[in-house]
């Protein structure tokens, strides 16, 4: 049970990006999450942190000068289109810098021990943004910038990023493909947008083995997601011993999401969050920060978001027998046929996989 309040980044300015425009990545998503926060079950259990704006120098830790300039240029025009999916209105540059800076503010609090769990309710999302390119509704890569912030500001050496959005976090993968200071693990529907994230993408040079892709066919549900976390991501974390865990948290695993094809329910989000916080408790003193990515059903954001927040607050949402059934599944990771390939590809990088 967590006794400290869950730290929270929220700000009404995040609504100013793509305001009054028809777009799947709508400000209504933010308001859907904010509705959760008035739920009586969370009363007195969260603490808001003010976000700050990321500087150009900080953005350049992950992004090229050309990319930053291009996004900055959108502030002088009512509308800019970067590709078919990715647009900006005149406030978007400031809002995107506030999203990245909000992650920094949250990580300062967690790293300095003023709370161990946090949720950054930010937009635009970030995990598709590559060093040199805006794409997939994302302008700057919030989670990647957060990891770099920890490395620059606090000399962090081992950061684990777990991306549970239904889409592959190509931008985050690209940012850390050649380093062992970030272990990037992504579950995603495959094939699917943006097309990357197959088994063989494992990192390069010093980073070989530190990118772990778990491509999944559509229709994966609550229990299987929980098993993936318990039987695959948990041992990885035990071997890596991260100093902190960052979660790219998309709500598009929800079974009625408009873009995803998975079968996860709000209870499943509670389970996923439970197992992720357990990993953090066992490996990094409970330090874990959730950063909002996608999710295109407002109902999904409300219901799954509430389950995530309640679980982060330590409310006993999940019945012990459900957890026992997952932990006691016969066959472990090998019992899940869709994990065998991941284990096979990574057994030379991660010793305990060879024995699983
Ligand atoms: Zn997504």
């Amino acid at each position: 049970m967590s006794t400290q309040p869950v730290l929270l980044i929220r700000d009404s300015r995040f609504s100013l990006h793509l305001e009054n425009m028809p777009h799947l990545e709508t400000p209504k998503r933010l308001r859907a999450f904010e509705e959760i926060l008035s739920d009586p079950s969370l009363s007195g259990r969260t603490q808001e942190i003010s976000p700050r704006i990321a500087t150009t120098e900080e953005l350049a830790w992950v992004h090229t000068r050309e990319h930053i300039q291009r996004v900055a240029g959108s502030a002088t025009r009512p509308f800019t289109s970067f590709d078919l999916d990715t647009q900006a209105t005149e406030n978007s540059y400031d809002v995107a810098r506030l999203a990245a800076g909000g992650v920094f503010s949250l990580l300062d609090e967690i790293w300095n021990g003023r709370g161990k769990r946090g949720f950054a309710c930010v937009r635009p999302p970030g995990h598709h943004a590559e060093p040199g390119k805006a794409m997939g509704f994302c302008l700057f890569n919030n989670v990647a910038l957060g990891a770099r912030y920890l490395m620059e500001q606090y000399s962090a050496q081992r950061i684990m990023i777990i991306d549970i959005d239904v889409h592959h976090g190509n931008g985050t993968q690209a940012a850390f493909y050649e380093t062992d200071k970030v272990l990037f693990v992504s579950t995603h529907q495959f094939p699917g947008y943006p097309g990357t994230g197959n088994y063989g993408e494992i990192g390069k040079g010093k980073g070989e083995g530190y990118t772990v892709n778990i491509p999944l066919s559509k229709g994966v549900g609550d229990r299987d997601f929980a098993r993936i976390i318990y039987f695959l991501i948990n041992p990885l974390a035990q071997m890596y011993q991260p100093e902190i865990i960052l979660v790219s948290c998309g709500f598009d695993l929800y079974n009625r999401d408009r873009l995803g094809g998975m079968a996860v329910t709000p209870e499943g989000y509670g389970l996923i969050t439970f197992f992720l916080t357990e990993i953090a408790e066992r490996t990094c003193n409970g330090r874990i920060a959730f950063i909002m990515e996608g999710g295109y059903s407002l109902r999904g954001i409300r219901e799954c978001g509430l389950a995530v927040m309640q679980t982060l607050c330590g409310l006993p949402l999940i019945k012990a027998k459900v957890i026992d059934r997952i932990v006691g599944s016969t066959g472990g990771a090998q019992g899940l046929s869709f994990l065998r390939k991941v284990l096979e590809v990574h057994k030379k990088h991660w010793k305990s996989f060879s024995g699983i």
Side-chain angles (χ1 to χ4, degrees):
M1 175 78 99
S2 166
T3 48
Q4 284 176 311
V6 172
L7 306 170
L8 190 66
I9 296 288
R10 69 185 284 204
D11 195 297
S12 57
R13 285 173 288 176
F14 292 126
S15 290
L16 299 175
H17 165 61
L18 305 179
E19 200 186 24
N20 304 321
M21 263 195 57
H23 200 286
L24 266 174
E25 207 284 275
T26 161
K28 289 179 189 159
R29 299 176 60 248
L30 185 81
R31 292 193 278 274
F33 192 88
E34 289 187 331
E35 279 175 36
I36 297 164
L37 303 174
S38 53
D39 192 274
S41 65
L42 301 181
S43 174
R45 297 178 189 272
T46 61
Q47 187 188 327
E48 284 190 32
I49 308 296
S50 301
R52 69 164 173 91
I53 288 201
T55 65
T56 315
E57 288 66 35
E58 290 167 338
L59 297 175
W61 288 333
V62 168
H63 296 290
T64 62
R65 296 278 168 190
E66 295 71 25
H67 173 63
I68 298 166
Q69 283 301 318
R70 247 188 326 268
V71 181
S74 70
T76 60
R77 290 186 289 273
F79 184 76
T80 303
S81 208
F82 296 98
D83 66 16
L84 275 176
D85 306 313
T86 314
Q87 283 78 32
T89 45
E90 59 191 348
N91 292 311
S92 299
Y93 174 56
D94 285 343
V95 177
R97 286 191 295 155
L98 189 68
V103 172
F104 300 165
S105 303
L106 177 62
L107 295 178
D108 278 333
E109 298 298 305
I110 295 177
W111 197 268
N112 292 314
R114 290 188 284 269
K116 59 182 183 181
R117 299 178 181 176
F119 194 102
C121 174
V122 297
R123 58 182 289 277
H127 72 150
H128 294 307
E130 297 210 340
K133 189 159 76 169
M135 63 183 275
F137 310 158
C138 303
L139 303 179
F140 298 128
N141 194 317
N142 305 318
V143 74
L145 284 161
R148 284 302 304 264
Y149 179 72
L150 292 170
M151 290 152 83
E152 299 287 336
Q153 182 73 12
Y154 299 111
S155 304
Q157 297 295 309
R158 291 181 316 282
I159 298 161
M160 185 165 184
I161 299 178
I162 303 173
D163 188 323
I164 60 164
D165 190 280
V166 78
H167 304 104
H168 181 237
N170 59 294
T172 315
Q173 172 172 300
F176 303 116
Y177 208 58
E178 298 186 39
T179 179
D180 56 0
K181 292 191 175 180
V182 173
L183 170 57
F184 174 67
V185 184
S186 178
T187 57
H188 43 271
Q189 191 171 314
F190 191 88
Y193 184 85
T196 49
N198 211 343
Y199 301 102
E201 296 164 35
I202 57 168
K204 203 174 140 189
K206 268 186 117 172
E208 190 180 319
Y210 294 89
T211 290
V212 179
N213 281 302
I214 308 167
L216 302 166
S217 49
K218 59 183 176 186
V220 179
D222 296 354
R223 305 285 165 91
D224 278 344
F225 265 101
R227 290 185 183 105
I228 292 167
I229 294 168
Y230 185 74
F231 289 112
L232 184 76
I233 298 179
N234 178 40
L236 265 177
Q238 303 292 340
M239 287 181 274
Y240 188 60
Q241 290 291 311
E243 295 158 293
I244 189 169
I245 295 174
L246 311 183
V247 180
S248 263
C249 180
F251 290 111
D252 40 14
L253 297 175
Y254 176 60
N255 52 12
R256 293 158 79 174
D257 188 82
R258 293 168 70 181
L259 295 183
M262 293 306 188
V264 176
T265 68
E267 190 199 1
Y269 268 89
L271 264 178
I272 289 169
T273 306
F274 173 80
F275 281 107
L276 290 175
T277 55
E278 283 293 297
I279 294 174
E281 294 294 336
R282 280 188 223 133
T283 59
C284 51
N285 299 318
R287 297 201 282 206
I288 190 163
F290 281 59
I291 295 148
M292 189 152 104
E293 300 287 358
Y296 305 98
S297 154
L298 298 180
R299 184 175 161 188
I301 291 174
R302 269 192 298 270
E303 295 184 0
C304 300
L306 181 61
V308 169
M309 286 304 297
Q310 288 175 328
T311 309
L312 286 177
C313 287
L315 296 169
L317 192 67
I318 312 296
K319 292 189 184 78
K321 67 174 183 194
V322 174
I323 294 165
D324 289 346
R325 216 175 293 146
I326 287 159
V327 172
S329 313
T330 48
Q334 287 291 3
L336 297 165
S337 55
F338 50 87
L339 292 187
R340 280 186 205 137
K341 191 105 185 248
V342 184
L343 296 171
E344 184 60 35
V345 167
H346 279 282
K347 71 179 181 199
K348 74 171 184 190
H349 311 112
W350 299 99
K351 284 198 175 63
S352 75
F353 281 173
S354 47
I356 285 180

